[in-house]
Every structure is written in C-alpha cells, then in structure tokens.
Amino acid sequence: ERGRLPMAEDLTKEAAEARAKQVPILILFSSAGCHYCEQVRSEFLIPMTRNADYDNKVIMIEVEAGSSTRLIDFDGKVTTHGEFASRYQVYMTPTVKLLDAQGKEAAIPLVGIITRDYYGGFLDEAIGAALKKIRGAADTRSQLSAVTTP
C-alpha cells in the first residue's frame, strides 16, 4: 500500500506474496517512542512504498519489538511481535532485516542508523543482495529440475 508501512499481522500472507513475486520481505523492527525508528520509517521506508519501482523488489512491513501484539508466524503459529523479534535476535531498534518466504535471512541486517546520508544506499544494497539470493536460488532450482527431468 502506497505511503504506508503496515504492522505485521499474518506473515503467511507476506510469505505467499514473496514466493509468488520472488522478492524478499523487509521487516522494520521498531519500538514505541524510538526516534530513530520513526526516522527510518518516515524518511526511507514510506517514500520507498510510494515508488512503484519497489513493487517487484520487496514487500515491507513493521514489527514492534517489545510489543505483545498478536502475530501469525511464517509457519502459521500464533506468536507476538516481541517473541518474533527475540527469535530473530533483535536487540536494538531500528533493525531492518530482509527475509525470504521461509523466514530465513536473505541479506545482512541494518542495525541502528549511523549515517543518514548513506542509509538509503545501504537499504538498496541489502534489497539487491536479498533479491539476488532469492532469485538466484530460484534459478538454480529451475536449472536442477531441467537437468533431472528426462
């Protein structure tokens, strides 16, 4: 959705969309009252949602690290935003992770925001690396099936 970074509710939906489009899921792990989280959201991620170029590159959602908000995990199990963040070893916010449709990390996470001037470039690099990994893996699978099918 343009101009919005939705809170994660049901990761099986994002996973299905990510699988269909062969794109990563970008998760902003934030916390309430975190000024830097607001900065990443409003200065970088929301503008990206308005740019159609990202529609076929990434799916973006937010998880509030300390929250007990209900969340359906990649495997369909009910958890909370806080438990999910703990499982992904998020100890500092903002943390941006790029995951594949199975919930595996597909790029090096961006932890904190040190250099605002370069943050957009770091985000694009991480998205590019995750895309390459995901689409590269898909290419390998199709090549393997082509080789093994008589």
Side-chain angles (χ1 to χ4, degrees):
E1 195 174 318
R2 302 253 180 253
R4 222 176 127 252
L5 186 65
M7 276 291 167
E9 293 175 6
D10 181 351
L11 295 174
T12 63
K13 290 178 183 170
E14 279 83 16
E17 187 183 347
R19 202 172 290 111
K21 290 181 167 183
Q22 290 190 324
V23 297
I25 301 163
L26 180 153
I27 301 179
L28 167 63
F29 289 92
S30 63
S31 53
C34 165
H35 166 73
Y36 295 109
C37 301
E38 178 53 38
Q39 202 173 22
V40 168
R41 184 185 310 107
S42 63
E43 293 180 28
F44 298 99
L45 299 181
I46 288 177
M48 286 166 68
T49 68
R50 292 189 185 115
N51 182 340
D53 291 348
Y54 288 96
D55 291 354
N56 293 312
K57 286 185 185 175
V58 68
I59 295 162
M60 291 185 268
I61 55 174
E62 185 170 351
V63 167
E64 195 174 321
S67 167
S68 58
T69 301
R70 182 177 183 270
L71 176 67
I72 297 170
D73 204 338
F74 287 99
D75 57 9
K77 293 190 176 111
V78 175
T79 186
T80 66
H81 279 226
E83 289 170 6
F84 183 80
S86 293
R87 203 167 65 243
Y88 278 88
Q89 300 178 329
V90 173
Y91 302 114
M92 182 179 164
T93 58
T95 292
V96 171
K97 291 194 179 230
L98 286 130
L99 309 177
D100 66 16
Q102 289 75 43
K104 293 187 183 75
E105 294 200 30
I108 296 167
L110 279 70
V111 180
I113 178 169
I114 300 156
T115 51
R116 270 185 62 214
D117 295 348
Y118 301 111
Y119 195 83
F122 293 150
L123 267 175
D124 280 336
E125 274 179 33
I127 291 167
L131 264 174
K132 189 174 179 181
K133 185 172 185 177
I134 289 165
R135 291 184 176 165
D139 290 347
T140 306
R141 279 196 298 275
S142 61
Q143 287 167 5
L144 285 174
S145 61
V147 171
T148 54
T149 348

